[in-house]
């Protein structure tokens, strides 16, 4: 009989107490793993709960700073900013996105002024600025690629000028990482990082986020640019392409239904991999716990360690503060 068989081998020995379990844990979570997404809106002195995202808020810039202070004090090193743009500032070309005094640019400046060490990441995408709610410019009912990618590159430069440490393009236009990297270099922002949403799927799990920013597509869907949930080889190709075009971090999004994609991408690229634990995943855990059907803290921590096990180096999650508090 081999010593690797029962009764000489007993798996339960290594599960017999909390100390033993901690000692042999293969993966660990730390607040350093988290990126806290933040929604900012115009105005002053206001915060609004997002109905489909219980306990999650949009903030005006002044209150956003208080939230950021709390995030930093919990040991979370980075935030990812999303701006809610009023309807009268939306158009097909996303003009407002390039406004140096725009909400995103103002927020970045305000945060970097008070919290210079915090890593500020910005969402680079047209949909909050687009009258069509699409991530690109629309012509004849189609989302056109190259002009959109050029606009996104300008947007990235505008965020870098405001002080963003990383720009995070979430659009899935072809070639945008290369254009963005070239534009940043040309303008002297050679230290601005790019966290590319490399494998972003056309997902129904973005529903609550589109409520938060009022950014649902006005016609059609996003399937001509976001990926088909059936594919994983394509995700690897997208991530390698982004790495080659100059991305510093490759992201997979959504998270929970795509853990195999996280693993595949992690094994294929030589840059850190992040995963986005998206709004619909947050809403599922929140709503089931509110009904007493799940234990919120346990379900949250299990999901988060699952991302680490799958190979994620960083996790963008609406649970960042709650999880950091528990750690
Ligand atoms: C759009 C964008 C989306 C999310 C982040 N950036 C939604 C979409 O593609 O429609 C989703 C994030 C979430 O659901 O938490 N540029």
């Amino acid at each position: 009989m081999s010593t690797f068989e029962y009764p000489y081998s007993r798996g339960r020995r290594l599960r017999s107490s909390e100390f033993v379990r901690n000692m042999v844990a293969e993966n660990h979570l730390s607040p350093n793993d988290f990126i806290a997404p933040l929604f900012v809106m115009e105005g002053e002195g206001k915060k609004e709960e997002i109905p489909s995202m219980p306990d999650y808020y949009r903030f005006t810039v002044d209150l956003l700073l208080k939230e950021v202070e709390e995030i930093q004090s919990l040991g979370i090193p980075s935030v990812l900013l999303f701006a809610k743009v009023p309807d009268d500032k939306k158009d097909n070309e996303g003009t407002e996105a390039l406004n140096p005094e725009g909400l995103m640019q103002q927020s970045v400046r305000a945060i970097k002024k008070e919290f210079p060490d915090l890593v500020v990441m910005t969402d680079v995408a047209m949909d909050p600025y687009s009258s069509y709610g699409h991530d690109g410019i629309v012509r004849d009912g189609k989302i056109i690629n190259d002009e959109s990618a050029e606009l996104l590159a300008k947007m990235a430069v505008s965020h870098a000028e405001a002080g963003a440490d990383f720009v995070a393009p979430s659009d899935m236009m072809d070639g945008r990482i290369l254009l963005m990297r070239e534009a940043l270099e040309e303008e002297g922002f050679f230290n601005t990082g790019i966290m590319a949403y490399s494998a972003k799927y056309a997902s129904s799990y973005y529903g609550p986020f589109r409520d938060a920013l009022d950014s649902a597509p006005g016609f059609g869907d996003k399937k001509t640019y976001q990926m088909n949930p059936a594919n994983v080889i394509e995700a690897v190709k997208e991530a390698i392409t982004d790495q080659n075009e100059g991305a510093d971090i490759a992201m997979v999004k959504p998270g929970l239904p795509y853990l195999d994609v996280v693993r595949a991408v992690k094994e294929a690229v030589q840059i850190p991999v992040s995963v986005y634990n998206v709004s619909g995943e947050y809403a599922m855990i929140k709503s089931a716990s509110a009904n007493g059907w799940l234990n919120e803290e346990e379900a949250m921590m299990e999901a988060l360690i699952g991302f680490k096990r799958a190979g994620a180096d960083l996790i963008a999650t609406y649970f960042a503060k709650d999880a950091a508090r528990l750690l």
Side-chain angles (χ1 to χ4, degrees):
M1 185 187 295
S2 139
T3 53
F4 295 109
E5 281 170 30
Y6 172 85
Y8 303 108
S9 166
R10 288 178 183 266
R12 291 184 55 186
R13 276 185 214 119
L14 294 181
R15 295 174 216 136
S16 58
S17 76
E18 188 165 3
F19 277 21
V20 173
R21 288 192 295 275
N22 287 344
M23 193 173 77
V24 299
E26 295 173 38
N27 293 284
H28 302 272
L29 282 166
S30 138
N32 283 315
D33 299 328
F34 302 140
I35 300 168
L38 288 172
F39 299 114
V40 57
M41 63 181 179
E42 289 191 349
E44 231 179 282
K46 277 193 294 183
K47 69 177 209 180
E48 286 172 3
E49 190 174 27
I50 299 149
S52 48
M53 298 179 70
D55 304 320
Y56 221 80
Y57 297 84
R58 307 179 193 103
F59 298 93
T60 55
V61 179
D62 49 344
L63 296 191
L64 186 75
L65 292 175
K66 299 216 161 59
E67 182 71 6
V68 169
E69 183 173 20
E70 199 184 334
I71 287 168
Q72 184 172 279
S73 71
L74 286 165
I76 298 164
S78 74
V79 296
L80 175 55
L81 300 179
F82 295 93
K84 180 173 192 290
V85 183
D87 278 345
D88 61 358
K89 292 190 179 159
K90 298 184 182 188
D91 61 26
N92 184 30
E93 263 80 31
T95 314
E96 175 64 15
L98 302 181
N99 179 359
E101 298 307 319
L103 186 56
M104 177 65 92
Q105 289 83 350
Q106 277 181 36
S107 311
V108 173
R109 279 195 296 266
I111 295 175
K112 286 306 287 186
K113 189 164 167 234
E114 277 204 41
F115 309 98
D117 296 330
L118 190 80
V119 180
V120 174
M121 303 186 167
T122 57
D123 184 55
V124 176
M126 272 190 66
D127 53 333
Y129 301 91
S130 154
S131 38
Y132 293 107
H134 274 290
D135 292 75
I137 298 165
V138 177
R139 291 268 149 74
D140 303 324
K142 294 206 160 69
I143 289 74
I144 55 167
N145 191 85
D146 297 7
E147 262 181 72
S148 303
E150 271 170 39
L151 180 103
L152 291 160
K154 289 190 187 130
M155 209 171 152
V157 169
S158 169
H159 293 181
E161 276 165 354
D165 299 292
F166 278 78
V167 292
S170 64
D171 53 285
M172 293 300 281
M173 295 301 121
D174 292 324
R176 91 274 207 217
I177 303 300
L178 182 63
L179 287 178
M180 221 165 263
R181 180 50 75 208
E182 284 175 349
L184 289 168
E185 282 289 323
E186 262 168 43
E187 300 297 325
F189 296 110
F190 40 81
N191 269 333
T192 306
I194 301 178
M195 177 169 76
Y197 288 61
S198 299
K200 177 168 177 182
Y201 288 86
S203 170
S204 80
Y205 289 85
Y206 306 148
F209 173 96
R210 293 175 185 172
D211 288 344
L213 290 191
D214 182 25
S215 62
F219 70 89
D221 51 40
K222 298 191 173 185
K223 291 179 184 169
T224 66
Y225 44 107
Q226 298 180 348
M227 282 179 51
N228 180 348
N231 296 351
V232 61
I233 296 168
E234 185 186 359
V236 169
K237 180 207 171 228
E238 288 283 355
I240 291 174
T241 302
D242 286 355
Q243 171 174 281
N244 292 342
E245 290 184 13
D248 300 281
I249 301 174
M251 183 187 271
V252 173
K253 172 182 181 184
L256 291 176
Y258 298 90
L259 293 179
D260 60 318
V261 180
V262 174
R263 170 54 56 195
V265 168
K266 177 69 188 163
E267 284 173 5
V269 298
Q270 291 79 38
I271 53 178
V273 173
S274 60
V275 64
Y276 202 136
N277 179 209
V278 300
S279 57
E281 300 166 32
Y282 175 83
M284 284 197 298
I285 291 182
K286 283 299 225 184
S287 54
S289 329
N291 274 302
W293 297 337
L294 279 180
N295 177 305
E296 183 174 330
E297 282 184 359
E298 287 173 8
M300 163 181 85
M301 293 312 264
E302 190 176 331
L304 295 173
I305 197 68
F307 294 128
K308 293 295 300 250
R309 197 190 59 244
D313 299 290
L314 290 164
I315 307 165
T317 177
Y318 304 101
F319 288 119
K321 277 196 328 180
D322 292 346
R325 254 186 230 114
L326 285 178
L327 295 165

